[in-house]
Amino acid sequence: MANTFSQIAAVTGMNLRNIPERWSSSLVAVLGIGGVTLVLVALLSIAAGFKVALEGSGSEDVAIIMRAGSSNELSGGYGVDTVTVVSDAPGIKRDAQNKPIMSPELYVLVDGRMRGKDASTNLPLRGVSEMAPKVRKSFKLVEGRMFREGTNEIVVGDGVVKQYEGLEVGKKARWGNTDWTVVGRYTDGGGIAESEAWGDTRVVQQAWRRGNSFQSIRAKLNDAASLKTLKDALSKDPRVRVGVQSERAFYADQQKLMSTIITTVGVALAIMMGVAALFAALNTLYNAVATRVREIATLRALGFGGFPVVVSVLVEAMILGAVGGLIGGLLAYLTLNGMSSSTMNWASFSQMTFAFTVTPGLMLLGIMYGLILCFIAGILPGIRAARLPITAGLREL
C-alpha cells in the first residue's frame, strides 16, 4: 500500500510540474469553472440576502398578531375593539407609564418609481403608532426627524431612498389623493422595515378610507417565553379571533417561497453551465494525457500501476476545479457582497430591498462544485492514461 501511495505522489508531482507547459488549456478550464461558480454563488447570494433581510428582522420577544387564518398582513383586518382586548392581555411588556409597548398597524401599497427605470412598483406604506420604533429590532433615525401625529408626514427606510426616486428627506409624494412630506430616514439593521415608508396610522386610515381598522399588531413581550402566555390568553378569549406568532417565525415563513424559487433557478442554471464547463475541463485533461504519453509509458515500464496514473489525473483535475471555484467565489464576494438591490416579495406583493450576501458557506459551496465538476471530467482521461499501451508510448522516445 505504501508503494502505491509513493507511486501516486510521484506521478501526481510530475503532472503538476507540467502544468506551466500547458498553461493556456489549464487556464481555459479554470476560467470555465470560475464562471460557473460565480453565477451559482451570485444567485444563491440573492436568496441569502433575502433571508437575512426577513429573518434578521424578526425577534423572538416581539409578537405579531393578525386575524386568525391570515398568512400575511394584506389578508387580515380587525377593529379597534380587538386592539383594546390585546392591550390588556398578559405577557406584553409595559413602559414606565404602564402603557403596553405595542403598535397597531395598517399596511397599504402605493406606487413608487424605481431609480433609473421607467417603471413603478408596489411600495409598502405602513401606518404605525408612536410605539413602532420600540418594537423593531434595530430601528435608528439617521436623518431628519420622526413624523408628527395627525399630519401627512412620513419617514422612509434607507432601502426606499436608495431604490426609489423622489423620496429623499424634504421631498413630497402624492399617494391616496394626499400629499405626503418625507421628514426622516431610518435604518433597521438591513431588515425589511428599511423597504417601507411609515406614517401616522390614523392619517393612513383616513387617506385610504379604512375607518378604525388595523391589519396587525406588533407587541413587545416581557421575554420570549411570554409568547405562550399571550397566545393562550387570546385564543381562549371569545371577544377576539386572532393568530399569534413570534416575529421571527412570521418572517421565516415569509422568506421560504422566494428563497425556494431563487435557489431552484440558481441550481438549474449552474447545472446547465456546469455541463459546458465540464467539457472544457475534459478537453484540458485529455490534452494533458496526450502530452505525457512518453512519461506515462516510461513509468508503466518501470513498474508503476494503472491506478496511480488514474488518481494522478483526478488530483490534477480537482486542483484545477478548486482553483476555479475559489476564483469564482472571490469574484462574487468582491463584486457583489453588500450590493443593494430589490425584488418582489411575493408574500406581501410589494418590492423589498436586500443586499447580496456572499457567505463563507456559499464560497465553500462554489469550491465544492468546482471539485465535483472536475472530478467527473477527470475520470475518462484518467482511464485512458492508465490504458495507454506501453509499447506505443515507448516508440515516441
Side-chain angles (χ1 to χ4, degrees):
M1 183 61 73
N3 187 44
T4 300
F5 284 133
S6 299
Q7 291 183 12
I8 291 173
V11 182
T12 302
M14 182 191 73
N15 287 355
L16 297 180
R17 286 192 295 273
N18 287 336
I19 285 181
E21 299 175 9
R22 299 173 277 109
W23 67 269
S24 58
S25 60
S26 299
L27 185 62
V28 169
V30 168
L31 293 180
I33 297 298
V36 172
T37 55
L38 171 61
V39 172
L40 175 65
V41 173
L43 286 171
L44 295 184
S45 71
I46 296 175
F50 200 81
K51 186 175 182 179
V52 168
L54 281 171
E55 287 193 0
S57 303
S59 301
E60 291 290 353
D61 63 349
V62 172
I64 181 165
I65 302 150
M66 299 185 296
R67 190 180 67 179
S70 298
S71 58
N72 60 69
E73 294 176 273
L74 286 175
S75 61
Y78 38 69
V80 69
D81 51 339
T82 296
V83 176
T84 302
V85 173
V86 172
S87 66
D88 293 330
I92 298 178
K93 193 172 184 177
R94 294 180 177 273
D95 62 12
Q97 288 76 42
N98 201 34
K99 293 171 61 178
I101 302 177
M102 57 180 247
S103 175
E105 300 178 349
L106 181 67
Y107 186 93
V108 299
L109 298 176
V110 299
D111 282 338
R113 190 174 184 80
M114 302 290 290
R115 284 189 183 277
K117 297 179 182 177
D118 187 20
S120 298
T121 60
N122 288 336
L123 167 64
L125 172 61
R126 185 180 292 277
V128 301
S129 76
E130 61 179 354
M131 291 287 189
K134 297 181 180 179
V135 293
R136 259 66 183 191
K137 194 174 180 180
S138 310
F139 181 89
K140 183 180 180 182
L141 197 64
V142 295
E143 184 180 1
R145 58 174 174 79
M146 277 299 288
F147 61 81
R148 292 173 298 185
E149 290 186 33
T151 68
N152 294 340
E153 295 176 345
I154 57 173
V155 293
V156 296
D158 193 54
V160 171
V161 176
K162 291 177 180 175
Q163 296 296 325
Y164 292 90
E165 291 181 351
L167 291 175
E168 297 85 357
V169 175
K171 294 290 183 67
K172 288 188 176 182
R174 185 165 182 78
W175 299 320
N177 295 323
T178 302
D179 289 325
W180 303 85
T181 303
V182 182
V183 297
R185 177 171 64 93
Y186 63 86
T187 60
D188 190 39
I192 192 171
E194 293 186 10
S195 303
E196 301 173 346
W198 288 2
D200 180 58
T201 307
R202 301 295 180 188
V203 180
V204 175
Q205 287 173 333
Q206 291 172 13
W208 270 264
R209 300 177 182 176
R210 298 291 182 88
N212 287 323
S213 68
F214 302 89
Q215 289 168 309
S216 64
I217 299 172
R218 278 175 169 74
K220 185 76 173 175
L221 301 171
N222 292 323
D223 51 45
S226 298
L227 179 68
K228 186 175 186 307
T229 304
L230 177 63
K231 195 171 184 178
D232 290 345
L234 293 178
S235 63
K236 294 174 182 174
D237 195 322
R239 296 174 295 174
V240 295
R241 186 170 174 271
V242 296
V244 181
Q245 62 185 137
S246 73
E247 196 181 35
R248 184 181 294 278
F250 173 72
Y251 284 130
D253 287 340
Q254 293 258 302
Q255 65 86 25
K256 282 181 183 175
L257 174 62
M258 194 63 189
S259 292
T260 301
I261 293 173
I262 294 172
T263 301
T264 302
V265 171
V267 171
L269 192 59
I271 290 175
M272 288 189 288
M273 293 183 66
V275 172
L278 190 147
F279 280 106
L282 193 68
N283 182 59
T284 297
L285 294 167
Y286 267 127
N287 181 50
V289 171
T291 58
R292 297 200 303 273
V293 170
R294 286 177 297 177
E295 290 90 341
I296 293 172
T298 302
L299 291 172
R300 295 295 308 280
L302 292 174
F304 280 66
F307 179 70
V309 173
V310 174
V311 173
S312 69
V313 174
L314 291 175
V315 170
E316 179 184 347
M318 293 174 71
I319 289 175
L320 293 178
V323 173
L326 180 62
I327 290 174
L330 285 174
L331 282 175
Y333 179 81
L334 294 173
T335 58
L336 296 174
N337 190 48
M339 188 172 76
S340 179
S341 186
S342 66
T343 187
M344 175 67 76
N345 179 5
W346 292 103
S348 62
F349 299 102
S350 62
Q351 202 76 3
M352 68 165 284
T353 60
F354 67 94
F356 284 80
T357 304
V358 181
T359 65
L362 287 182
M363 294 184 67
L364 183 61
L365 177 66
I367 294 173
M368 292 298 295
Y369 190 50
L371 283 173
I372 292 171
L373 284 177
C374 284
F375 177 81
I376 295 172
I379 292 175
L380 291 178
I383 293 174
R384 181 175 184 273
R387 290 182 174 178
L388 280 174
I390 298 175
T391 52
L394 293 176
R395 285 196 197 103
E396 298 189 18
L397 288 171

